[in-house]
Amino acid sequence: MKIVKEALAGTLESSDLLVKVAPSPTDTLEVMVQSEVIRQFGEQINKVVRETLEKMGVTAGQILVDDKGALDCAIRARLQAAVLRGADCNKIEWSRLS
Amino acid sequence: MKLRRSMLFVPGANASMLSTVFIYKPDSIMFDLEDAVSLREKDSARLLVFHALQNPAYKDIETVVRINPLNTEYGLLDLEAAVRGGVDIVRLPKTDRPEDVHELEAHVERIEKECGREVGSTKLMAAVESASGVINAVAIATASKRMVGIALAGFDYVMDMQTERGDGTELFYARCAVLHAARYAGIDAFDVVYGDVNNEEGFLKEVDLIKKLGFNGKSLVNPRQIDLLHNAYAPTEEEVEHSKRVVAAAEQAERDGLGVVSLNGKMIDAPIVNHAIRVLQKAQASGVRK
């Protein structure tokens, strides 16, 4: 799955996150994570982001995650929403989202 | 005894509320993917609810998802997310005919099979929001073995009836019709939301009315209404003490081989004993009114 257009999902409200995705000019996958709780939970947040993208089969795109203390379930959901929007994907494979 | 007094609406697009709402301990939490979510956030809200349902924090609380109507482009996707996410109950809005429930049930069964969920484990609830829905309430309530409840949704109903929310007179027929349908079908009945969250007196007045009518509970829009509702539905100490005496007298009569017994000069028969048992079950489940 490739990101073919810019897209956003989420908000900057507390306990939420904003995910921005864009096509990669080098056709690679670039991921950047910012978080208010990066010191305490940075490892876990990065793990959730990495696993979610892997499961969806995202191979190319720029992914920016701006986390405001969201739970793992919200991180997965917002990331998936942004990727599906950016990949212009209309067909959902639920097994890749669980 | 499963209590369904309070069903708290939570907007499906609100990550913060989805992450914390379980702390308020309503009897059921209803994640809303319909009216509370704007059209451009439907996809993101659906995924939030899908993952929130799998959060261990919701393991011990009954979850409900209000999907969009199946005749919209969102309804079926919402249903996929809800059933695959493990929801306990799917709430179908704008249910006008029993065929709406049949269509929903067929899709639920297909999704259960596809995702490996036990067939029949997803329960259903219908919200009636129109004159047509109220007229067909009995057929809707009995449309599926999966049905556990029927709810009246006030705003759309009064619009359809060309009136507006007032002192409850405008809902009188619909409340009675929905309630009778629920009792006939052996399922639960839920009253409309009370939107004026700062008016506790008005809220409690409405709760008193629907409790007397026989509703199991009410859809709620604010966590502040939960304790007020639960307390109003809890039996009083006097009711509990009286019920204990009724049950004790009935048990004594059975030991003595008597069919009918009296307590303080009043005859106690089976319906009175059954009512007393229900009061004691409610007290055990919800505590005594403060």
Side-chain angles (χ1 to χ4, degrees):
Chain A
M1 184 180 282
K2 285 184 182 179
I3 306 299
V4 296
K5 65 177 185 182
E6 289 187 7
L8 292 173
T11 72
L12 288 174
E13 292 171 15
S14 179
S15 301
D16 202 351
L17 67 154
L18 185 68
V19 180
K20 299 178 187 176
V21 301
S24 165
T26 56
D27 210 28
T28 57
L29 182 62
E30 302 160 52
V31 181
M32 190 178 177
V33 176
Q34 300 168 351
S35 174
E36 291 182 347
V37 290
I38 199 81
R39 284 188 183 175
Q40 301 98 313
F41 300 107
E43 200 174 320
Q44 174 65 13
I45 295 166
N46 274 296
K47 180 170 174 274
V48 171
V49 169
R50 199 171 55 247
E51 286 175 355
T52 304
L53 292 172
E54 269 176 24
K55 202 159 186 186
M56 293 183 83
V58 180
T59 54
Q62 293 177 325
I63 317 284
L64 175 62
V65 175
D66 193 350
D67 170 56
K68 298 295 176 186
L71 295 182
D72 290 358
C73 60
I75 295 173
R76 285 192 193 94
R78 296 306 198 191
L79 188 55
Q80 289 169 350
V83 166
L84 289 171
R85 287 173 178 178
D88 222 1
C89 178
N90 294 319
K91 192 173 182 306
I92 294 180
E93 288 185 63
W94 291 99
S95 61
R96 287 180 175 266
L97 305 182
S98 293
Chain B
M1 183 184 201
K2 171 60 192 162
L3 294 175
R4 290 200 182 98
R5 300 159 297 179
S6 52
M7 183 172 296
L8 182 64
F9 276 56
V10 182
N14 190 321
S16 174
M17 285 189 73
L18 259 67
S19 304
T20 57
V21 72
F22 55 86
I23 64 172
Y24 299 111
K25 296 190 179 0
D27 292 331
S28 314
I29 290 178
M30 199 202 71
F31 300 114
D32 188 14
L33 293 174
E34 198 209 11
D35 290 346
V37 179
S38 67
L39 294 182
R40 65 177 192 168
E41 286 301 315
K42 294 285 188 193
D43 59 338
S44 192
R46 184 182 302 126
L47 289 167
L48 267 179
V49 169
F50 173 64
H51 287 290
L53 287 168
Q54 298 170 67
N55 187 329
Y58 291 102
K59 191 166 63 73
D60 296 325
I61 193 159
E62 186 171 73
T63 54
V64 183
V65 172
R66 178 165 76 165
I67 62 171
N68 284 278
L70 290 174
N71 61 2
T72 67
E73 63 181 289
Y74 314 110
L76 202 47
L77 287 169
D78 294 345
L79 188 63
E80 294 269 359
V83 176
R84 290 172 188 271
V87 75
D88 295 310
I89 300 171
V90 173
R91 176 163 161 156
L92 184 67
K94 298 178 176 60
T95 314
D96 290 335
R97 312 164 305 149
E99 290 81 1
D100 298 336
V101 178
H102 298 155
E103 183 189 10
L104 174 68
E105 184 176 35
H107 284 300
V108 167
E109 186 165 330
R110 172 186 57 76
I111 298 166
E112 284 175 340
K113 285 175 180 168
E114 282 177 10
C115 70
R117 191 173 164 170
E118 184 190 344
V119 172
S121 60
T122 312
K123 303 303 178 193
L124 306 179
M125 171 184 298
V128 298
E129 313 186 19
S130 66
S132 171
V134 171
I135 295 294
N136 291 322
V138 172
I140 290 168
T142 55
S144 165
K145 285 182 180 170
R146 294 175 186 254
M147 289 283 286
V148 293
I150 183 166
L152 178 63
F155 184 73
D156 286 80
Y157 173 73
V158 294
M159 295 283 282
D160 195 39
M161 295 303 292
Q162 301 176 19
T163 181
E164 57 191 36
R165 282 302 310 271
D167 62 358
T169 309
E170 72 286 354
L171 295 175
F172 182 71
Y173 176 77
R175 278 176 167 151
C176 293
V178 165
L179 192 51
H180 278 78
R183 293 295 166 259
Y184 176 74
I187 62 176
D188 291 343
F190 301 91
D191 188 46
V192 301
V193 298
Y194 188 83
D196 187 0
V197 294
N198 292 321
N199 184 357
E200 281 189 11
E201 191 184 342
F203 175 72
L204 288 172
K205 195 175 165 192
E206 185 161 282
V207 169
D208 185 52
L209 171 70
I210 62 129
K211 180 171 173 264
K212 281 177 179 159
L213 283 172
F215 277 92
N216 295 79
K218 203 165 171 55
S219 302
L220 304 178
V221 288
N222 192 296
R224 279 156 49 198
Q225 296 174 324
I226 296 170
D227 283 347
L228 294 170
L229 179 70
H230 287 186
N231 192 47
Y233 261 78
T236 63
E237 259 181 50
E238 292 76 26
E239 287 171 323
V240 171
E241 287 309 314
H242 177 71
S243 297
K244 283 179 182 170
R245 288 197 295 273
V246 167
V247 172
E251 286 171 351
Q252 184 61 49
E254 198 173 323
R255 282 195 294 273
D256 296 343
L258 299 171
V260 177
V261 68
S262 69
L263 180 69
N264 301 330
K266 288 183 183 169
M267 190 185 77
I268 299 171
D269 55 10
I272 292 176
V273 175
N274 289 339
H275 175 72
I277 291 169
R278 270 203 306 276
V279 168
L280 294 178
Q281 286 172 336
K282 266 190 190 172
Q284 194 173 20
S286 69
V288 175
R289 196 180 306 173
K290 294 166 194 158

